[in-house]
Amino acid sequence: MGASHTPVTDKLTLAGEDAIFAPPASAEQDALGALLALGYSQAQASKAVKLVKRADMSSEQLIMAALKSMI
């Protein structure tokens, strides 16, 4: 049976028996995802993240700053 490639399996790297997925999302992507999961619209989340984003911020810092900017 030959190896099949799908969008998911193409992003996998096998290391022994463990599957390692593609690199984690950026802090900006993490923050957008978190805000969307909390019920904010794409427009609200995007605006808040862009307003407070700095290159040195972790995901957690960016999420907290974005949330604080919306109150």
Side-chain angles (χ1 to χ4, degrees):
M1 190 165 18
S4 65
H5 294 280
T6 65
V8 172
T9 59
D10 287 346
K11 295 179 192 268
L12 290 175
T13 303
L14 296 180
E17 295 181 20
D18 299 324
I20 303 168
F21 288 92
S26 69
E28 183 176 0
Q29 291 170 329
D30 285 344
L32 287 172
L35 294 173
L36 292 172
L38 289 171
Y40 291 96
S41 71
Q42 179 73 40
Q44 289 172 311
S46 238
K47 183 178 178 181
V49 169
K50 287 179 183 175
L51 180 69
V52 300
K53 183 178 85 167
R54 290 190 329 260
D56 64 335
M57 294 178 103
S58 69
S59 296
E60 294 83 6
Q61 291 170 325
L62 187 51
I63 293 164
M64 292 296 292
L67 285 168
K68 287 179 182 178
S69 78
M70 292 191 283
I71 55 172

